[in-house]
Amino acid sequence: MNRLQGKVAIVTGTSPNIGGTLARGLAAQGARVLCTDLTAEVAEGCAAEIVAAGGDAAAIAGDVTDPDHADAAVAAAVERWGKVDILVGNAVFFHQQGLLTMGYADFRRQLDVILGGSFLFTRAVAKSMIETKTAGSIILVLSTAAWQGQPGNIGYSTGKSGLINFTRSAAMELAPHGIRVNGFTPTATAPNHPAARAQLDELLGAPGEYRMDFTGQLPLSRLPTPDDYVGAVVYLASDESSMVTGTNITVDGGATAKYWPWTPHPI
């Protein structure tokens, strides 16, 4: 299928877990993809996988909190392919600490990556879309932690929650230009790539007083994998969602819909 044929996408944070899988998923639907990451090897590895599968991709490394990097990424995509149609803002600094344990510098850094990076890339991509008269789609990756109070993960939860209204506000401002802005909410994710296992281990191995029973509490009884997210993001990136903006699509196995005292899978 080629639901994104002729479209150009930028994906930030293309590690092998969610970001890399989304980048490969967009490419499989015909999009040309610029893979970005803080680490050059990660961005280049993602682009190489896309090319090896027959797609068209390039890579650029940099810090999403650097305005020059955001501008350079957009310029690289425009120079190579002439425009940008899609942004998937996925870059994140995952540092699981609580209110009483997290250093202020780390808290500010986490917000800067999640919120600041989204601001800079959304702005840079939107300016390019307006200049090229491209009715594009901007998709910001949220989290179930954006919608619920997770203890021991204060910076991540705060940053992701802030993206909810950033998405709405940006959607309203960019609507006159035909640019859509939406959120996508995943949840705790079972990796489909060995290199991503460490992040899940960190999540499941949270401090004892905050240990989470993700699989036991999920109504659909298993953690989603990154592959489970591709369809929703492709939909938001495609012309099929041309009247969808300022909202959110959640793929979380029913986690945020579950009534809090119910235990779906009694032990």
Side-chain angles (χ1 to χ4, degrees):
M1 296 177 66
N2 293 289
R3 295 161 68 190
L4 303 178
Q5 192 66 40
K7 294 188 182 294
V8 176
I10 295 176
V11 181
T12 68
T14 52
S15 66
N17 200 27
I18 294 176
T21 300
L22 295 180
R24 293 188 295 273
L26 297 176
Q29 291 293 332
R32 293 162 286 185
V33 183
L34 180 69
C35 305
T36 83
D37 199 88
L38 181 63
T39 305
E41 293 81 2
V42 170
E44 292 164 1
C46 183
E49 289 186 21
I50 291 172
V51 171
D56 189 0
I60 186 169
D63 188 330
V64 292
T65 68
D66 180 359
D68 291 338
H69 170 56
D71 292 340
V74 172
V78 172
E79 181 178 2
R80 183 178 177 113
W81 295 302
K83 58 175 181 171
V84 177
D85 299 275
I86 302 159
L87 169 66
V88 177
N90 174 71
V92 68
F93 170 41
F94 194 78
H95 186 57
Q96 193 166 334
Q97 294 289 323
L99 174 67
L100 302 179
T101 57
M102 190 173 202
Y104 186 50
D106 287 338
F107 179 76
R108 293 189 63 176
R109 172 63 178 166
Q110 195 160 32
L111 295 188
D112 201 16
V113 171
I114 295 172
L115 290 173
S118 296
F119 171 83
L120 291 173
F121 266 83
T122 298
R123 181 176 66 178
V125 166
K127 286 181 177 180
S128 176
M129 288 176 173
I130 293 168
E131 183 177 332
T132 60
K133 295 181 170 55
T134 300
S137 174
I138 295 171
I139 304 157
L140 301 173
V141 177
L142 306 175
S143 168
T144 46
W147 305 92
Q148 300 170 318
Q150 182 185 1
N153 205 10
I154 191 74
Y156 183 83
S157 299
T158 302
K160 290 293 188 178
S161 180
L163 280 183
I164 296 172
N165 225 36
F166 176 87
T167 297
R168 295 173 179 145
S169 183
M172 297 304 98
E173 184 171 341
L174 298 176
H177 302 285
I179 300 169
R180 298 178 293 109
V181 187
N182 290 289
F184 166 68
T185 298
T187 189
T189 305
N192 56 5
H193 195 293
R197 182 72 211 184
Q199 188 180 73
L200 181 65
D201 288 342
E202 180 184 354
L203 186 65
L204 298 180
E209 67 269 34
Y210 300 133
R211 189 166 182 83
M212 309 291 169
D213 181 15
F214 289 102
T215 53
Q217 293 296 317
L218 204 65
L220 288 184
S221 77
R222 71 167 178 87
L223 292 180
T225 70
D227 290 331
D228 291 315
Y229 302 144
V230 171
V233 173
V234 167
Y235 167 72
L236 289 175
S238 75
D239 295 336
E240 298 163 22
S241 59
S242 60
M243 290 300 292
V244 179
T245 196
T247 189
N248 167 75
I249 289 181
T250 298
V251 180
D252 70 351
T256 51
K258 186 179 78 69
Y259 190 49
W260 67 267
W262 175 52
T263 301
H265 311 289
I267 299 175

PDB file of all heavy atoms in Angstrom, residues 123-145:
ATOM      1  N   ARG A 123       7.336  24.516  15.103  1.00  0.00           N
ATOM      2  CA  ARG A 123       7.466  25.849  14.507  1.00  0.00           C
ATOM      3  C   ARG A 123       8.242  25.806  13.196  1.00  0.00           C
ATOM      4  O   ARG A 123       7.816  26.392  12.190  1.00  0.00           O
ATOM      5  CB  ARG A 123       8.158  26.800  15.491  1.00  0.00           C
ATOM      6  CG  ARG A 123       8.303  28.224  14.955  1.00  0.00           C
ATOM      7  CD  ARG A 123       8.903  29.148  15.969  1.00  0.00           C
ATOM      8  NE  ARG A 123      10.296  28.807  16.279  1.00  0.00           N
ATOM      9  CZ  ARG A 123      11.047  29.505  17.127  1.00  0.00           C
ATOM     10  NH1 ARG A 123      10.529  30.544  17.776  1.00  0.00           N
ATOM     11  NH2 ARG A 123      12.299  29.157  17.356  1.00  0.00           N
ATOM     12  N   ALA A 124       9.370  25.103  13.194  1.00  0.00           N
ATOM     13  CA  ALA A 124      10.191  25.052  11.982  1.00  0.00           C
ATOM     14  C   ALA A 124       9.452  24.368  10.842  1.00  0.00           C
ATOM     15  O   ALA A 124       9.483  24.830   9.689  1.00  0.00           O
ATOM     16  CB  ALA A 124      11.506  24.326  12.281  1.00  0.00           C
ATOM     17  N   VAL A 125       8.775  23.259  11.140  1.00  0.00           N
ATOM     18  CA  VAL A 125       8.037  22.543  10.102  1.00  0.00           C
ATOM     19  C   VAL A 125       6.854  23.373   9.619  1.00  0.00           C
ATOM     20  O   VAL A 125       6.580  23.449   8.416  1.00  0.00           O
ATOM     21  CB  VAL A 125       7.578  21.170  10.634  1.00  0.00           C
ATOM     22  CG1 VAL A 125       6.538  20.549   9.710  1.00  0.00           C
ATOM     23  CG2 VAL A 125       8.778  20.239  10.766  1.00  0.00           C
ATOM     24  N   ALA A 126       6.136  24.017  10.554  1.00  0.00           N
ATOM     25  CA  ALA A 126       4.981  24.822  10.167  1.00  0.00           C
ATOM     26  C   ALA A 126       5.392  25.980   9.256  1.00  0.00           C
ATOM     27  O   ALA A 126       4.712  26.271   8.260  1.00  0.00           O
ATOM     28  CB  ALA A 126       4.271  25.354  11.408  1.00  0.00           C
ATOM     29  N   LYS A 127       6.495  26.642   9.574  1.00  0.00           N
ATOM     30  CA  LYS A 127       6.969  27.732   8.713  1.00  0.00           C
ATOM     31  C   LYS A 127       7.249  27.230   7.307  1.00  0.00           C
ATOM     32  O   LYS A 127       6.913  27.889   6.312  1.00  0.00           O
ATOM     33  CB  LYS A 127       8.227  28.365   9.310  1.00  0.00           C
ATOM     34  CG  LYS A 127       7.975  29.247  10.520  1.00  0.00           C
ATOM     35  CD  LYS A 127       9.280  29.860  11.021  1.00  0.00           C
ATOM     36  CE  LYS A 127       9.041  30.805  12.173  1.00  0.00           C
ATOM     37  NZ  LYS A 127      10.321  31.410  12.667  1.00  0.00           N
ATOM     38  N   SER A 128       7.869  26.059   7.201  1.00  0.00           N
ATOM     39  CA  SER A 128       8.158  25.490   5.886  1.00  0.00           C
ATOM     40  C   SER A 128       6.871  25.122   5.152  1.00  0.00           C
ATOM     41  O   SER A 128       6.740  25.374   3.951  1.00  0.00           O
ATOM     42  CB  SER A 128       9.046  24.254   6.043  1.00  0.00           C
ATOM     43  OG  SER A 128       9.255  23.628   4.795  1.00  0.00           O
ATOM     44  N   MET A 129       5.934  24.528   5.853  1.00  0.00           N
ATOM     45  CA  MET A 129       4.663  24.160   5.227  1.00  0.00           C
ATOM     46  C   MET A 129       3.929  25.393   4.694  1.00  0.00           C
ATOM     47  O   MET A 129       3.372  25.377   3.593  1.00  0.00           O
ATOM     48  CB  MET A 129       3.777  23.416   6.229  1.00  0.00           C
ATOM     49  CG  MET A 129       4.252  22.011   6.551  1.00  0.00           C
ATOM     50  SD  MET A 129       3.205  21.251   7.836  1.00  0.00           S
ATOM     51  CE  MET A 129       3.851  19.567   7.849  1.00  0.00           C
ATOM     52  N   ILE A 130       3.936  26.457   5.478  1.00  0.00           N
ATOM     53  CA  ILE A 130       3.284  27.693   5.039  1.00  0.00           C
ATOM     54  C   ILE A 130       3.985  28.253   3.810  1.00  0.00           C
ATOM     55  O   ILE A 130       3.345  28.679   2.840  1.00  0.00           O
ATOM     56  CB  ILE A 130       3.267  28.715   6.188  1.00  0.00           C
ATOM     57  CG1 ILE A 130       2.356  28.213   7.317  1.00  0.00           C
ATOM     58  CG2 ILE A 130       2.826  30.082   5.701  1.00  0.00           C
ATOM     59  CD1 ILE A 130       2.479  28.992   8.611  1.00  0.00           C
ATOM     60  N   GLU A 131       5.306  28.241   3.831  1.00  0.00           N
ATOM     61  CA  GLU A 131       6.082  28.782   2.703  1.00  0.00           C
ATOM     62  C   GLU A 131       5.848  27.998   1.422  1.00  0.00           C
ATOM     63  O   GLU A 131       5.761  28.569   0.336  1.00  0.00           O
ATOM     64  CB  GLU A 131       7.571  28.770   3.056  1.00  0.00           C
ATOM     65  CG  GLU A 131       8.473  29.380   1.992  1.00  0.00           C
ATOM     66  CD  GLU A 131       9.926  29.402   2.415  1.00  0.00           C
ATOM     67  OE1 GLU A 131      10.196  29.465   3.626  1.00  0.00           O
ATOM     68  OE2 GLU A 131      10.804  29.359   1.518  1.00  0.00           O
ATOM     69  N   THR A 132       5.753  26.678   1.542  1.00  0.00           N
ATOM     70  CA  THR A 132       5.557  25.832   0.350  1.00  0.00           C
ATOM     71  C   THR A 132       4.082  25.548   0.067  1.00  0.00           C
ATOM     72  O   THR A 132       3.766  24.779  -0.833  1.00  0.00           O
ATOM     73  CB  THR A 132       6.298  24.492   0.517  1.00  0.00           C
ATOM     74  OG1 THR A 132       5.801  23.800   1.672  1.00  0.00           O
ATOM     75  CG2 THR A 132       7.798  24.712   0.654  1.00  0.00           C
ATOM     76  N   LYS A 133       3.206  26.164   0.877  1.00  0.00           N
ATOM     77  CA  LYS A 133       1.755  25.960   0.729  1.00  0.00           C
ATOM     78  C   LYS A 133       1.389  24.477   0.790  1.00  0.00           C
ATOM     79  O   LYS A 133       0.632  23.960  -0.037  1.00  0.00           O
ATOM     80  CB  LYS A 133       1.251  26.600  -0.564  1.00  0.00           C
ATOM     81  CG  LYS A 133       1.392  28.114  -0.582  1.00  0.00           C
ATOM     82  CD  LYS A 133       0.865  28.728  -1.864  1.00  0.00           C
ATOM     83  CE  LYS A 133       0.792  30.243  -1.776  1.00  0.00           C
ATOM     84  NZ  LYS A 133       2.061  30.872  -1.400  1.00  0.00           N
ATOM     85  N   THR A 134       1.957  23.820   1.784  1.00  0.00           N
ATOM     86  CA  THR A 134       1.718  22.395   1.998  1.00  0.00           C
ATOM     87  C   THR A 134       0.719  22.203   3.140  1.00  0.00           C
ATOM     88  O   THR A 134       0.950  22.654   4.254  1.00  0.00           O
ATOM     89  CB  THR A 134       3.028  21.678   2.358  1.00  0.00           C
ATOM     90  OG1 THR A 134       3.968  21.837   1.286  1.00  0.00           O
ATOM     91  CG2 THR A 134       2.792  20.190   2.588  1.00  0.00           C
ATOM     92  N   ALA A 135      -0.389  21.549   2.853  1.00  0.00           N
ATOM     93  CA  ALA A 135      -1.379  21.239   3.888  1.00  0.00           C
ATOM     94  C   ALA A 135      -0.921  19.978   4.597  1.00  0.00           C
ATOM     95  O   ALA A 135      -1.305  18.862   4.250  1.00  0.00           O
ATOM     96  CB  ALA A 135      -2.758  21.045   3.270  1.00  0.00           C
ATOM     97  N   GLY A 136      -0.079  20.155   5.587  1.00  0.00           N
ATOM     98  CA  GLY A 136       0.591  19.020   6.201  1.00  0.00           C
ATOM     99  C   GLY A 136      -0.030  18.548   7.490  1.00  0.00           C
ATOM    100  O   GLY A 136      -1.051  19.064   7.956  1.00  0.00           O
ATOM    101  N   SER A 137       0.610  17.541   8.086  1.00  0.00           N
ATOM    102  CA  SER A 137       0.142  16.929   9.319  1.00  0.00           C
ATOM    103  C   SER A 137       1.290  16.853  10.322  1.00  0.00           C
ATOM    104  O   SER A 137       2.351  16.315  10.013  1.00  0.00           O
ATOM    105  CB  SER A 137      -0.392  15.513   9.041  1.00  0.00           C
ATOM    106  OG  SER A 137      -0.721  14.850  10.240  1.00  0.00           O
ATOM    107  N   ILE A 138       1.041  17.384  11.512  1.00  0.00           N
ATOM    108  CA  ILE A 138       2.004  17.340  12.601  1.00  0.00           C
ATOM    109  C   ILE A 138       1.430  16.434  13.688  1.00  0.00           C
ATOM    110  O   ILE A 138       0.295  16.634  14.133  1.00  0.00           O
ATOM    111  CB  ILE A 138       2.293  18.747  13.148  1.00  0.00           C
ATOM    112  CG1 ILE A 138       2.987  19.590  12.055  1.00  0.00           C
ATOM    113  CG2 ILE A 138       3.146  18.686  14.414  1.00  0.00           C
ATOM    114  CD1 ILE A 138       3.121  21.061  12.402  1.00  0.00           C
ATOM    115  N   ILE A 139       2.203  15.437  14.078  1.00  0.00           N
ATOM    116  CA  ILE A 139       1.748  14.436  15.049  1.00  0.00           C
ATOM    117  C   ILE A 139       2.724  14.434  16.213  1.00  0.00           C
ATOM    118  O   ILE A 139       3.921  14.188  16.029  1.00  0.00           O
ATOM    119  CB  ILE A 139       1.687  13.039  14.408  1.00  0.00           C
ATOM    120  CG1 ILE A 139       0.797  13.062  13.164  1.00  0.00           C
ATOM    121  CG2 ILE A 139       1.196  12.000  15.408  1.00  0.00           C
ATOM    122  CD1 ILE A 139       1.095  11.951  12.176  1.00  0.00           C
ATOM    123  N   LEU A 140       2.221  14.706  17.402  1.00  0.00           N
ATOM    124  CA  LEU A 140       3.066  14.770  18.599  1.00  0.00           C
ATOM    125  C   LEU A 140       2.782  13.567  19.481  1.00  0.00           C
ATOM    126  O   LEU A 140       1.626  13.291  19.829  1.00  0.00           O
ATOM    127  CB  LEU A 140       2.812  16.072  19.350  1.00  0.00           C
ATOM    128  CG  LEU A 140       3.085  17.332  18.509  1.00  0.00           C
ATOM    129  CD1 LEU A 140       2.644  18.577  19.258  1.00  0.00           C
ATOM    130  CD2 LEU A 140       4.550  17.424  18.124  1.00  0.00           C
ATOM    131  N   VAL A 141       3.826  12.840  19.828  1.00  0.00           N
ATOM    132  CA  VAL A 141       3.668  11.614  20.597  1.00  0.00           C
ATOM    133  C   VAL A 141       3.505  11.958  22.074  1.00  0.00           C
ATOM    134  O   VAL A 141       4.394  12.538  22.699  1.00  0.00           O
ATOM    135  CB  VAL A 141       4.861  10.671  20.381  1.00  0.00           C
ATOM    136  CG1 VAL A 141       4.708   9.422  21.248  1.00  0.00           C
ATOM    137  CG2 VAL A 141       4.958  10.278  18.899  1.00  0.00           C
ATOM    138  N   LEU A 142       2.365  11.602  22.619  1.00  0.00           N
ATOM    139  CA  LEU A 142       2.050  11.824  24.029  1.00  0.00           C
ATOM    140  C   LEU A 142       2.392  10.563  24.822  1.00  0.00           C
ATOM    141  O   LEU A 142       3.368   9.901  24.547  1.00  0.00           O
ATOM    142  CB  LEU A 142       0.577  12.203  24.181  1.00  0.00           C
ATOM    143  CG  LEU A 142       0.090  13.386  23.332  1.00  0.00           C
ATOM    144  CD1 LEU A 142      -1.399  13.575  23.489  1.00  0.00           C
ATOM    145  CD2 LEU A 142       0.829  14.661  23.680  1.00  0.00           C
ATOM    146  N   SER A 143       1.567  10.222  25.782  1.00  0.00           N
ATOM    147  CA  SER A 143       1.758   9.027  26.604  1.00  0.00           C
ATOM    148  C   SER A 143       0.535   8.890  27.494  1.00  0.00           C
ATOM    149  O   SER A 143      -0.123   9.895  27.820  1.00  0.00           O
ATOM    150  CB  SER A 143       3.012   9.164  27.472  1.00  0.00           C
ATOM    151  OG  SER A 143       3.054   8.150  28.471  1.00  0.00           O
ATOM    152  N   THR A 144       0.224   7.677  27.925  1.00  0.00           N
ATOM    153  CA  THR A 144      -0.829   7.549  28.921  1.00  0.00           C
ATOM    154  C   THR A 144      -0.449   8.295  30.205  1.00  0.00           C
ATOM    155  O   THR A 144      -1.328   8.712  30.965  1.00  0.00           O
ATOM    156  CB  THR A 144      -1.102   6.061  29.235  1.00  0.00           C
ATOM    157  OG1 THR A 144       0.138   5.367  29.430  1.00  0.00           O
ATOM    158  CG2 THR A 144      -1.868   5.399  28.111  1.00  0.00           C
ATOM    159  N   ALA A 145       0.838   8.502  30.425  1.00  0.00           N
ATOM    160  CA  ALA A 145       1.281   9.281  31.586  1.00  0.00           C
ATOM    161  C   ALA A 145       0.914  10.758  31.457  1.00  0.00           C
ATOM    162  O   ALA A 145       1.001  11.507  32.432  1.00  0.00           O
ATOM    163  CB  ALA A 145       2.792   9.143  31.775  1.00  0.00           C
TER     164      ALA A 145
END
